[in-house]
């Protein structure tokens, strides 16, 4: 079955649809992951959210990026990236990711990090970061910590603790203060 789809910037009207895609792709357990500590109280980076749409404008996939600092240096956390389950394997995920990466580069970001499957994200140039180079605010599987340099050598000097680049709205998980 051939499906026509296209990619466009995410707009405010997409919020519920994107939440549904992420629920479908990751389930409610995603909020407990360390990467989500970096998203609490922070809006996704403006201008770097993209959605894939199909017939009638229906949402088929979404990618967002969050602003982070790594050892004081601005960077981005890629994700969530999710594609509607019945439409996977058509290149929508890679196209969303590459569109977002290009926009991040144009916006002047030098690096992107994520926690995910290396064999998938390597298709967009991500590679595993040396163990212990960066520290997430909670446990992560170090073999899944990946990075992409948007400028030559930009990953080589990136190291240290990862934190939120800003706080838009103070939200604490389980009442705990956020560092
Ligand atoms: C991961 C995801 C976004 C991929 O979207 P997609 O539109 O199917 O991806 P693409 O069509 O661009 O790429 C498909 C290819 O990637 C491979 N692939 C998909 N997920 C993969 C993974 N987790 N690890 C390794 N390879 C993967 C597929 O096998 C396929 O390979 P092929 O081209 O050799 O057939 C989608 O499967 C999804 O939403 N999954 C649930 C949420 C999720 O796990 N997000 C990523 C977190 S690591």
């Amino acid at each position: 079955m051939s499906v026509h789809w296209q990619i466009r910037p995410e707009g405010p009207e997409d919020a519920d649809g994107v939440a549904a895609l992420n629920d479908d792709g990751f389930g409610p357990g995603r909020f407990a992951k360390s990467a989500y500590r970096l998203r609490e109280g922070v809006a996704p980076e403006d201008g770097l959210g993209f959605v894939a749409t199909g017939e009638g404008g229906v949402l088929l996939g979404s990618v967002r990026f969050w602003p982070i600092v790594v050892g004081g240096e601005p960077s981005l956390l890629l994700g969530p990236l999710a594609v509607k389950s019945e439409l996977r394997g058509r290149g929508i995920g890679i196209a969303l990711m590459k569109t977002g990466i290009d926009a991040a580069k144009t916006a002047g970001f030098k690096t992107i990090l994520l926690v995910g499957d290396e064999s998938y994200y390597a298709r967009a140039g991500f590679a595993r970061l040396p163990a212990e180079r960066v520290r997430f605010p909670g446990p992560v599987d170090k073999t899944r910590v990946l990075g992409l340099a948007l400028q030559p050598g930009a990953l080589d000097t990136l190291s240290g603790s990862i934190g939120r680049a800003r706080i838009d709205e103070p939200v604490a998980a389980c009442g705990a203060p956020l560092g």
Side-chain angles (χ1 to χ4, degrees), residues 144-157:
R144 291 169 54 81
V145 176
L146 312 178
L148 175 71
L150 302 178
Q151 291 179 7
L155 274 181
D156 301 346
T157 51

Side-chain angles (χ1 to χ4, degrees), residues 25-26 81-83 87-95 115-117 119-121 123 144:
F26 299 94
L81 167 69
V83 173
L87 291 167
R88 290 177 190 163
R90 297 166 189 270
I92 298 175
I94 294 283
V115 183
D117 294 326
S119 53
Y120 182 63
Y121 289 99
R123 296 173 186 231
R144 291 169 54 81

Side-chain angles (χ1 to χ4, degrees), residues 45 48 65-68 70 74-78 100 104-105 109 111-114 150:
E45 185 68 15
L48 299 187
F65 292 77
W66 255 263
I68 54 173
V70 184
S75 183
L76 287 170
L77 185 69
L78 189 159
K105 199 170 178 176
F109 286 94
T111 56
I112 302 176
L113 301 188
L114 64 82
L150 302 178

